[in-house]
Structure formats: structure tokens, C-alpha cells
């Protein structure tokens, strides 16, 4: 791990799109939606936006499995720095409504978990509470999740109820299932590599289609650390060796 290359924030085309959506929600005071497959860089971009707009302006919440409305209220209160263990949920709701205003942005990430890991009633309560926050405070609002969230809000079995929430938003960004080649090349450059071509590019595409951007970065980090440990520069040959090595684990067979 000491020899790994820690990849900081990379200003990819995807990240710039996410920033534009957040800007629209913040400065126009409206809900906006970001949907896309897992491991496409959504959360990384949102966290960077929050970090660079965190002078009391942007609040970031990442939903978890089976979160109820009560849990969401508690976490938003923590982000708004108005949380108290002794306060009841209704008290926290009132505090949140006093903190948020039309010059602030609330980002709720992993929103699909509210629709796919809870009961119908819990999902309805979460969606309606988020809508209520916006109606009361008129803060900017960004809801981000996988395409499960998009389907649940727009065409799922509770779509008619969720339609009140959906209609309040004017901006919707749907990211492609795999990162853009320009983003792939930009990240490779962070490891001292030229853009992949030929068979290497095809191998990278297969990794991205199957595992997403996160696995691509991990393979690059492993290749960089392996090369660094031997005093050599990182190469695409080393990347291929790492990727093929991990792939072989799933194809191991008995030798007798």
C-alpha cells in the first residue's frame, strides 16, 4: 500500500457534467436528478463538489440500506449540524427546516436504496419527506442514484405518488453505463501512461463494461505499485499482467 499511487480527484468529463447539474440546482434553487450505473464516478464527483462548496453551502448525505425516514432525518440533521440524541424526530425536522434555505444545496446520494431495500411505506415516507424539505426551504436539491431510482420514480408501481417529486425537477442527467474514453485516457495519464490502444484498449473496455471505473483504477494502482516496487515505470504490459492475474483466479482448475 505504501507504494500505491493515490489517485486524487480527476476532473473528467463526467465530473464536469455532475458539477453543472449541482450548479443548476444550487443557483436556480430547484431539484435535479443524476442517474447512472454503479462505478461510473457519480459519488466521487459529488463528494468533490461538496468539498469545494462546503462553506456551509452544500450538505451531502449518502443513503444506506433500509434507511427509514427517521434515519434520513437524523443524518440530514447531522449534516446541518443541528443534531441531538435527545431530540425527537419532529424536533429535528423543525431544526433542519430552519437551517436549510434557498442559498444552500442538499445532495442525497445512493437514493435507489430508499426504493429497493425498504418497504413501500418506508419508501413513500422518504420520498415525501424529501419533497417536503424542498417545499419548505426551497433549497437546491440533487438526488443521485442508479437507474433503479430512475425507474422507481418515473415508472415504478408508486410512480403516480412520486410524480409530485419528479415534477419539481427540471434537470435530469443520465450517465452512460461505461465511462467516456476521454475519461479513461485522463485517468491513465495520472499513472504516467499514454492512452491505451489496440488490444489493451479492448481489454480496458471489457473491464469497464463488467466492473466499472473503480476496478479500472484499482488495476492501475496495483500495476503502479508492482512496477514501483521493482524500480520500473508503470506500463500497460504491467496493467495487463495484473488484470490477467486476477482473471485467472476465477478460472482455476484442479491439476489432477
Amino acid at each position: 500500500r505504501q507504494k500505491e499511487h493515490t489517485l486524487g480527484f480527476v476532473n473528467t468529463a463526467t465530473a464536469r457534467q455532475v458539477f453543472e447539474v449541482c450548479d443548476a440546482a444550487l443557483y436556480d434553487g430547484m431539484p435535479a436528478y443524476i442517474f447512472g450505473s454503479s462505478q461510473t464516478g457519480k459519488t466521487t464527483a459529488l463528494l468533490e463538489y461538496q468539498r469545494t462548496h462546503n462553506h456551509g453551502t452544500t450538505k451531502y448525505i449518502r443513503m444506506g440500506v433500509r434507511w427509514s425516514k427517521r434515519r434520513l432525518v437524523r443524518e440530514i440533521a447531522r449534516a446541518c449540524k443541528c443534531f441531538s440524541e435527545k431530540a425527537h424526530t419532529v424536533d429535528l425536522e423543525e431544526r433542519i427546516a430552519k437551517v436549510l434555505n434557498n442559498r444552500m444545496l442538499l445532495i442525497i446520494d445512493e437514493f435507489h436504496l430508499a426504493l429497493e431495500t425498504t418497504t413501500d411505506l418506508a419508501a413513500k415516507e422518504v420520498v415525501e419527506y424529501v419533497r417536503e424539505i424542498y417545499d419548505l426551504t426551497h433549497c437546491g436539491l440533487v438526488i443521485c442514484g442508479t437507474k433503479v431510482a430512475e425507474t422507481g420514480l418515473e415508472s415504478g408501481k408508486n410512480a403516480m405518488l412520486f410524480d409530485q417529486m419528479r415534477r419539481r425537477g427540471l434537470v435530469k442527467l443520465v450517465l452512460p453505463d461505461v465511462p467516456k474514453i476521454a475519461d479513461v485516457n485522463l485517468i491513465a495519464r495520472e499513472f504516467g501512461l499514454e492512452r491505451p490502444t489496440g488490444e489493451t484498449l479492448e481489454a480496458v473496455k471489457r473491464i469497464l463494461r463488467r466492473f466499472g471505473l473503480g476496478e479500472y483504477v484499482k488495476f492501475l494502482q496495483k500495476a503502479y505499485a508492482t512496477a514501483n516496487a521493482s524500480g520500473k515505470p508503470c506500463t500497460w504490459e504491467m496493467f495487463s499482467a495484473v488484470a490477467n492475474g486476477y482473471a485467472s483466479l476465477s478460472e482455476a482448475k484442479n491439476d489432477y
Side-chain angles (χ1 to χ4, degrees):
R1 280 187 172 273
Q2 291 177 345
K3 297 181 182 298
E4 274 191 1
H5 174 62
T6 301
L7 184 66
F9 173 72
V10 180
N11 190 22
T12 62
T14 297
R16 291 193 294 273
Q17 286 182 301
V18 170
F19 272 41
E20 288 173 1
V21 171
C22 290
D23 281 344
L26 174 60
Y27 299 121
D28 295 335
M30 64 178 183
Y33 303 92
I34 300 173
F35 301 117
S37 299
S38 178
Q39 295 293 314
T40 53
K42 304 184 302 298
T43 294
T44 298
L46 290 172
L47 287 171
E48 179 65 14
Y49 189 91
Q50 191 265 346
R51 187 185 72 82
T52 55
H53 295 73
N54 195 26
H55 304 291
T57 300
T58 301
K59 311 298 182 184
Y60 173 89
I61 303 297
R62 184 171 185 170
M63 293 207 63
V65 175
R66 299 184 68 182
W67 272 27
S68 61
K69 174 200 165 187
R70 179 175 179 271
R71 177 66 185 275
L72 179 61
V73 170
R74 288 169 64 87
E75 296 305 321
I76 294 178
R78 290 184 200 276
C80 291
K81 301 188 184 306
C82 61
F83 176 75
S84 170
E85 289 285 358
K86 297 180 180 180
H88 295 292
T89 301
V90 65
D91 298 322
L92 294 177
E93 290 179 33
E94 292 177 358
R95 293 181 185 185
I96 291 168
K98 291 178 180 178
V99 172
L100 295 176
N101 56 55
N102 61 3
R103 296 180 301 279
M104 302 175 76
L105 177 67
L106 174 63
I107 299 173
I108 304 180
D109 198 6
E110 304 290 349
F111 196 75
H112 55 280
L113 294 177
L115 305 181
E116 67 177 356
T117 67
T118 62
T119 64
D120 277 356
L121 177 59
K124 292 173 184 176
E125 288 180 342
V126 166
V127 173
E128 287 299 288
Y129 175 61
V130 173
R131 179 184 63 79
E132 186 177 273
I133 289 177
Y134 173 73
D135 287 346
L136 288 174
T137 68
H138 297 290
C139 66
L141 177 66
V142 171
I143 291 177
C144 180
T146 65
K147 293 180 180 179
V148 170
E150 181 185 20
T151 300
L153 289 172
E154 297 187 359
S155 58
K157 58 184 176 181
N158 294 315
M160 292 186 67
L161 173 65
F162 298 159
D163 193 54
Q164 294 185 68
M165 181 70 193
R166 184 183 61 81
R167 285 175 178 265
R168 283 164 169 75
L170 299 177
V171 177
K172 182 177 81 167
L173 170 64
V174 180
L175 296 170
D177 292 336
V178 293
K180 298 178 180 179
I181 293 298
D183 291 356
V184 172
N185 296 341
L186 192 60
I187 292 171
R189 197 179 308 156
E190 294 289 318
F191 291 85
L193 294 170
E194 297 295 329
R195 62 186 181 88
T197 58
E199 293 182 3
T200 301
L201 177 58
E202 293 307 312
V204 168
K205 287 181 178 178
R206 287 194 294 271
I207 291 170
L208 292 170
R209 283 193 292 267
R210 184 173 181 183
F211 301 109
L213 199 59
E215 201 77 3
Y216 170 63
V217 171
K218 289 176 183 177
F219 284 169
L220 283 170
Q221 288 176 322
K222 182 63 176 178
Y224 184 92
T226 302
N228 194 27
S230 60
K232 299 177 181 179
C234 186
T235 63
W236 282 116
E237 286 74 16
M238 185 64 71
F239 174 89
S240 296
V242 169
N244 292 337
Y246 281 112
S248 68
L249 295 175
S250 64
E251 301 171 357
K253 298 178 181 178
N254 291 327
D255 58 357
Y256 56 88

